Amino acid sequence: MCKQSFFVLILSLLNLNLFAQKLQWKPIEGKVMTQWAAQVNPERPLPEHPRPQLVRDGSWQNLNGSWQYAITSKEQANIPTLYDGEILVPYPIESALSGVGKTVGKDKILWYKTKIEILPKLRNKKLLLHFGAIDWECTIFVNGKKVGEHTGGYDPFSFDISAYLNKGKNQEIVIRVFDPTDDGQQPVGKQTKNPKGIWYTSVTGIWQTVWMEAVPESYISNILQTPDLDNQLLNVNVLFKNPHPGDLLQISAFENKKKIGEITIKAGLTAKLPVSNPKLWSPESPFLYDLKVAVIRNGKPIDEITSYFAMRKISMGKDANGIQRILLNNKFLFQYGTLDQGWWPDGLYTAPTDQALEFDIVKTKEMGFNMIRKHIKVEPARWYYHCDKLGMLVWQDMPSGDIFPYDWEQRLGQVSGRSLDKQRSPLSEKYYKTEWENIMMALHHFPSIVMWVPFNEAWGQFRTKEITEWTIEKDPSRLVNSASGGNYFPVGHVADLHNYPEPAMPNPVVFGGKQILALGEFGGLGLPVDGHTWLEKGNWGYQSFKTPQELLDRYRVLVSDLKPLIMQGLSAAVYTQTTDVEIEVNGLMTYDRKVIKMPVDKLKEINKVLYEHPVE
């Protein structure tokens, strides 16, 4: 056989092998699927840069794709030699898009393994291995050696793996994951081992993009940007690894590619970058400036990243009647949003594509909402990036945890006139505080986020005063809604009531002079749509209807009843909810996003009256 024919044969066999690997993956059948499931490329799922707020051009490699997995006993500590099959990362193992569709639970360990080839542009440099999120506790191995551990299902993390690499381009990554879901004390949101009602399928393991990044020995690890609208400044705190004496930071701002400001400071200091006559960011005009940060050593840049920022201010202030109002850019804007669970029938916690991730935000805005309450879940960075670009205000919840056994006395404390804190163990409190701080640090950049919500409906609510004041101290640039849905403590910026289905508000006489008044949840109008439900029978809504017209008529009444509350002191309201989720059919859209239950233009027409008010 000639040499050319031999190489052709080898290439053909390799192509057949790749094709066979591609054929091995297919979504689990019998599940509700979105239109984007068909667009998932198993060789390059979710290929977009996962960290748009801090980008090094060309110096990264996406590791999403087909990995091996194994489920073993909890006692197994050594890396398995045999694996159960292939899993499509980053879709959680319980999801249809993972190609596996299995549960793990508190008595098992989930293992991942992949062999990678480092791209030429990343070789011979310091190499960081990044994880968007792994739920919940994981240990990372590279080429059989333990690199590190992480706990927390919602915060991004990374490891420097340079010292663990083999010579050459080929490497092996193994991940060990333990996740007790609601049998543990850690934050879990709405996950449960027994899905029913408002509790949904568990999510275990990798559920956001895995990627590598080449960086210099001294590099920028994060940037914390805080606009100061009143003084026309942008405060920039650059987190920098391995600084040398004399290192400088050069920070430049651009408006439509035109440089509008630049400042050079010593590394370790906070930059105060002037932004004269700033273009304000708002839902009506979400203007974003470009930002460039460079580390200068001996007159030369050794690291450089690109980012963006917005000039906007979120605050509270009294109106002419002495009622506290929520202010955007020093003006009252009624915030009206949807409760957004962020779940997908095919990917669970993970949207099938970036286009799907953006779709919910686009449709929510088209319906006439200017805010989303991201409900006890954290999204990938790209979701907040889309909100920044599209002009969508965000209330960010902390995922609840350590809820069960459910404390009904605590939940109903306000009915009896008492506010109660749950007694959580020191370990449980540590899990919460560590992850909440990491989440706030990771999401600080995004101007769309205007409010932090530490607790929801007394679910695991503990040390409310301490946690609220601690949250405000960590980020004084945003508002803090200490306990959405009652169990009130006189702390934080917001008094938040939940009421179904009719709108209501906290008592303005009691709270109005001290806190912003908000309706954190209402509505919940249900309409099951045949062929688009999680279950054929047993679907649930707070109030169910049989036709879209009945649903629209009832929704119109709710908004009409909501409007007068604004003049009485209400500053914000959240309608339940963006989409159906599993057996809940309260969504404006079906779970698969294929049916919008009420006409978008009519929803926008109904909703616009909420922004037409004379309050000053």
Side-chain angles (χ1 to χ4, degrees):
M1 180 183 291
C2 70
K3 187 178 292 185
Q4 182 178 2
S5 298
F6 175 76
F7 283 128
V8 169
L9 176 61
I10 293 298
L11 183 61
S12 298
L13 290 172
L14 287 172
N15 287 335
L16 282 172
N17 184 48
L18 289 172
F19 183 67
Q21 288 181 7
K22 184 174 180 179
L23 285 181
Q24 286 178 9
W25 174 83
K26 63 178 182 178
I28 302 300
E29 297 179 353
K31 299 290 186 180
V32 177
M33 307 295 284
T34 67
Q35 60 182 321
W36 300 281
Q39 300 171 14
V40 172
N41 180 354
E43 294 180 357
R44 296 184 70 238
L46 295 171
E48 296 82 8
H49 194 292
R51 194 186 59 195
Q53 74 274 27
L54 196 162
V55 177
R56 290 181 180 85
D57 287 335
S59 62
W60 72 289
Q61 180 177 346
N62 194 315
L63 300 184
N64 293 343
S66 182
W67 293 38
Q68 291 180 281
Y69 83 94
I71 299 174
T72 68
S73 68
K74 187 178 178 181
E75 287 70 33
Q76 172 139 354
N78 296 326
I79 296 173
T81 55
L82 297 175
Y83 286 79
D84 300 338
E86 301 289 321
I87 182 170
L88 191 62
V89 168
Y91 305 105
I93 190 170
E94 295 90 345
S95 72
L97 289 180
S98 72
V100 180
K102 295 180 181 178
T103 57
V104 182
K106 65 181 178 61
D107 299 317
K108 300 290 185 179
I109 296 296
L110 172 61
W111 295 86
Y112 293 85
K113 185 177 82 168
T114 187
K115 294 183 181 295
I116 63 168
E117 181 178 315
I118 300 175
L119 296 177
K121 61 186 178 182
L122 273 64
R123 295 175 199 163
N124 303 316
K125 298 179 181 178
K126 181 187 285 291
L127 200 60
L128 304 181
L129 178 59
H130 293 283
F131 299 92
I134 297 180
D135 197 356
W136 165 71
E137 180 183 79
C138 65
T139 306
I140 312 300
F141 301 87
V142 174
N143 297 318
K145 299 175 183 177
K146 180 179 174 181
V147 175
E149 299 175 335
H150 178 79
T151 56
Y154 300 93
D155 57 314
F157 61 98
S158 61
F159 294 103
D160 179 356
I161 62 171
S162 309
Y164 302 89
L165 300 178
N166 291 330
K167 292 183 178 180
K169 58 187 178 181
N170 297 312
Q171 316 294 331
E172 180 184 87
I173 299 172
V174 172
I175 304 172
R176 181 185 190 271
V177 179
F178 169 64
D179 181 20
T181 311
D182 52 341
D183 284 318
Q185 300 178 72
Q186 80 285 2
V188 295
K190 286 200 169 186
Q191 301 177 61
T192 179
K193 62 183 181 295
N194 296 312
K196 59 183 177 180
I198 61 172
W199 310 102
Y200 316 138
T201 304
S202 58
V203 169
T204 302
I206 298 170
W207 67 274
Q208 290 187 30
T209 291
V210 183
W211 57 295
M212 294 189 301
E213 182 182 31
V215 297
E217 188 64 31
S218 300
Y219 65 95
I220 298 165
S221 60
N222 198 4
I223 47 176
L224 303 178
Q225 307 170 42
T226 307
D228 181 349
L229 194 61
D230 295 336
N231 294 303
Q232 298 190 18
L233 295 172
L234 179 73
N235 295 305
V236 184
N237 185 13
V238 179
L239 305 186
F240 183 44
K241 296 285 188 179
N242 306 319
H244 286 195
D247 283 347
L248 300 175
L249 297 172
Q250 186 179 73
I251 302 168
S252 310
F254 300 84
E255 179 184 322
N256 298 324
K257 298 184 178 180
K258 178 185 177 182
K259 186 182 289 187
I260 61 165
E262 187 171 272
I263 188 171
T264 301
I265 63 169
K266 292 182 180 179
L269 300 179
T270 298
K272 294 186 178 296
L273 181 67
V275 184
S276 301
N277 301 313
K279 291 186 176 180
L280 305 185
W281 183 97
S282 69
E284 295 77 24
S285 180
F287 185 83
L288 297 175
Y289 292 88
D290 293 317
L291 192 73
K292 183 181 291 185
V293 181
V295 179
I296 308 297
R297 180 176 295 166
N298 299 323
K300 296 181 180 179
I302 63 166
D303 191 23
E304 187 173 86
I305 62 94
T306 58
S307 185
Y308 66 91
F309 68 94
M311 294 301 290
R312 71 100 183 92
K313 177 184 177 182
I314 191 71
S315 59
M316 63 186 288
K318 290 185 178 181
D319 64 16
N321 296 319
I323 296 291
Q324 293 286 0
R325 294 290 185 174
I326 186 169
L327 307 179
L328 180 67
N329 302 329
N330 295 319
K331 295 181 180 179
F332 173 52
L333 172 66
F334 186 74
Q335 296 191 13
Y336 184 46
T338 58
L339 193 73
D340 194 304
Q341 314 272 6
W343 286 72
W344 300 83
D346 38 24
L348 299 179
Y349 260 15
T350 310
T353 67
D354 190 63
Q355 292 74 25
L357 196 68
E358 185 180 22
F359 177 85
D360 283 2
I361 308 165
V362 170
K363 288 302 172 185
T364 300
K365 189 160 189 182
E366 288 178 355
M367 293 173 187
F369 298 92
N370 64 7
M371 177 261 283
I372 291 172
R373 180 182 169 203
K374 180 51 62 175
H375 191 40
I376 56 177
K377 186 209 174 190
V378 176
E379 292 290 359
R382 292 194 64 84
W383 186 86
Y384 302 95
Y385 170 61
H386 292 313
C387 289
D388 291 345
K389 289 193 304 177
L390 293 167
M392 182 61 73
L393 300 165
V394 176
W395 294 12
Q396 178 60 56
D397 288 11
M398 170 60 181
S400 303
D402 202 2
I403 301 170
F404 302 103
Y406 196 71
D407 192 336
W408 283 102
E409 183 182 12
Q410 181 194 30
R411 173 67 183 91
L412 299 174
Q414 69 181 101
V415 176
S416 61
R418 295 177 297 149
S419 295
L420 302 173
D421 273 329
K422 181 183 178 72
Q423 296 299 312
R424 292 171 68 160
S425 71
L427 183 61
S428 175
E429 292 186 5
K430 180 182 177 181
Y431 288 154
Y432 175 99
K433 290 190 69 175
T434 299
E435 192 154 5
W436 187 219
E437 183 173 12
N438 289 343
I439 289 168
M440 287 190 289
M441 181 71 73
L443 300 184
H444 182 92
H445 170 276
F446 301 104
S448 52
I449 300 176
V450 295
M451 189 176 297
W452 300 119
V453 186
F455 299 112
N456 174 75
E457 290 191 352
W459 294 356
Q461 184 176 338
F462 73 102
R463 299 185 185 272
T464 306
K465 186 175 185 297
E466 174 188 324
I467 294 297
T468 302
E469 292 175 347
W470 175 74
T471 301
I472 294 171
E473 180 185 355
K474 292 293 180 183
D475 185 5
S477 71
R478 291 180 168 93
L479 300 175
V480 176
N481 181 356
S482 63
S484 182
N487 200 22
Y488 300 115
F489 285 76
V491 66
H493 302 105
V494 184
D496 181 325
L497 175 70
H498 293 180
N499 197 75
Y500 287 101
E502 291 83 6
M505 64 185 289
N507 190 330
V509 175
V510 176
F511 300 102
K514 298 178 181 179
Q515 293 174 296
I516 295 163
L517 306 179
L519 174 58
E521 293 180 28
F522 83 108
L525 306 181
L527 177 68
V529 179
D530 289 343
H532 300 275
T533 56
W534 187 251
L535 300 175
E536 290 186 8
K537 296 181 179 180
N539 294 292
W540 175 85
Y542 286 95
Q543 186 177 12
S544 294
F545 299 87
K546 295 181 179 180
T547 69
Q549 187 59 52
E550 289 179 353
L551 180 66
L552 181 66
D553 292 342
R554 182 65 174 126
Y555 180 81
R556 192 189 306 273
V557 171
L558 291 187
V559 173
S560 177
D561 291 344
L562 178 62
K563 171 75 183 233
L565 300 182
I566 302 174
M567 295 303 299
Q568 296 175 36
L570 190 69
S571 280
V574 179
Y575 178 82
T576 301
Q577 58 191 353
T578 307
T579 71
D580 296 347
V581 185
E582 299 202 356
I583 73 167
E584 283 191 69
V585 290
N586 302 312
L588 295 165
M589 297 183 282
T590 54
Y591 198 12
D592 57 15
R593 278 75 166 173
K594 293 179 180 177
V595 178
I596 298 176
K597 300 180 185 180
M598 295 177 279
V600 170
D601 58 342
K602 291 186 178 180
L603 283 171
K604 185 173 184 178
E605 185 70 20
I606 293 169
N607 291 340
K608 76 175 185 179
V609 303
L610 298 175
Y611 311 115
E612 300 168 351
H613 48 73
V615 176
E616 295 293 340

